[in-house]
Amino acid sequence: MSCSIADVIEEGRVHLDSPAIEVMTDLKRIPAASLAAAESHEEALRVMQMRGVRLLLVVDGSDMVVGVVTAADLLGERPLRAAREQGLRRGEVMVARVMTPLSAMDAVRYEDVLRAEVGDVIATLGRSGRQHALVIEIMLEGRVSVRGIFSRTQIARQLRVALPEGTEIARNFAEIEAAIAA
């Protein structure tokens, strides 16, 4: 009797014309990685490392999303600037001081994602200059919830290609000033 080795299923492989939903981290299937706004930026880094993610949803005391914090936010200029402004050590800076508020985040409606392709998502992230975009879903009662997240890194992994590095676009004078000083 002869026996062969089973072929590997290329699970998760997508193409530019694949449905965008295939590259979205669906928070109805995978628990969201989140952290309270009052936690330290060092705790945020620890949670990221433990969960294997580079973005955390930041929540208030009522578990409502108030923003996001990325590894770039935590490892960049923001904690140093916040520490200097508040007269704190870097390790004492709270996530609320370095996060991107929800109002400043790019968001895509879930119903639009269902009609989009992977190439559309890459173009949207490229135009915004961001590594991530949130997917929001408007519930029947009018409540808005974060349904998913798009990540350039995850999309590149599923495409099995290196996407051109996009740099984040400065959103205010302080971010421009910090980039020049770096």
Side-chain angles (χ1 to χ4, degrees):
M1 167 190 218
S2 64
C3 185
S4 66
I5 298 173
D7 291 331
V8 174
I9 297 172
E10 289 195 33
E11 197 168 35
R13 176 91 191 228
V14 297
H15 304 281
L16 292 176
D17 59 353
S18 296
I21 195 78
E22 292 183 21
V23 295
M24 181 186 88
T25 300
D26 190 339
L27 299 179
K28 283 197 173 187
R29 292 193 170 110
I30 298 170
S34 64
L35 185 77
E39 291 288 349
S40 73
H41 93 282
E42 289 179 342
E43 176 65 7
L45 284 169
R46 189 187 73 69
V47 170
M48 282 182 185
Q49 185 176 27
M50 183 179 73
R51 294 285 308 265
V53 298
R54 298 186 53 80
L55 175 139
L56 296 172
L57 297 176
V58 180
V59 296
D60 64 13
S62 303
D63 270 349
M64 297 302 291
V65 178
V66 294
V68 300
V69 67
T70 67
D73 296 334
L74 298 170
L75 298 171
E77 175 68 22
R78 287 183 184 185
L80 293 172
R81 190 173 351 117
R84 188 173 50 241
E85 289 170 0
Q86 293 182 302
L88 302 170
R89 290 189 346 252
R90 182 180 169 128
E92 298 172 329
V93 174
M94 299 297 116
V95 170
R97 296 284 296 163
V98 296
M99 72 177 192
T100 300
L102 192 59
S103 60
M105 277 299 297
D106 297 308
V108 180
R109 294 180 339 174
Y110 181 68
E111 51 269 18
D112 294 335
V113 170
L114 295 174
R115 294 186 299 270
E117 295 178 346
V118 172
D120 300 324
V121 175
I122 294 169
T124 298
L125 289 170
R127 279 192 303 275
S128 72
R130 301 263 187 209
Q131 294 293 315
H132 301 90
L134 299 179
V135 177
I136 58 169
E137 184 173 30
I138 300 169
M139 311 308 278
L140 290 177
E141 65 275 8
R143 186 175 53 92
V144 177
S145 68
V146 178
R147 170 65 189 262
I149 300 169
F150 286 119
S151 162
R152 283 178 56 86
T153 304
Q154 179 63 33
I155 293 169
R157 191 176 304 128
Q158 286 184 257
L159 284 169
R160 293 192 175 97
V161 298
L163 295 176
E165 281 301 315
T167 55
E168 287 205 11
I169 298 170
R171 303 290 182 195
N172 57 49
F173 184 74
E175 289 181 4
I176 295 169
E177 191 177 54
I180 292 170

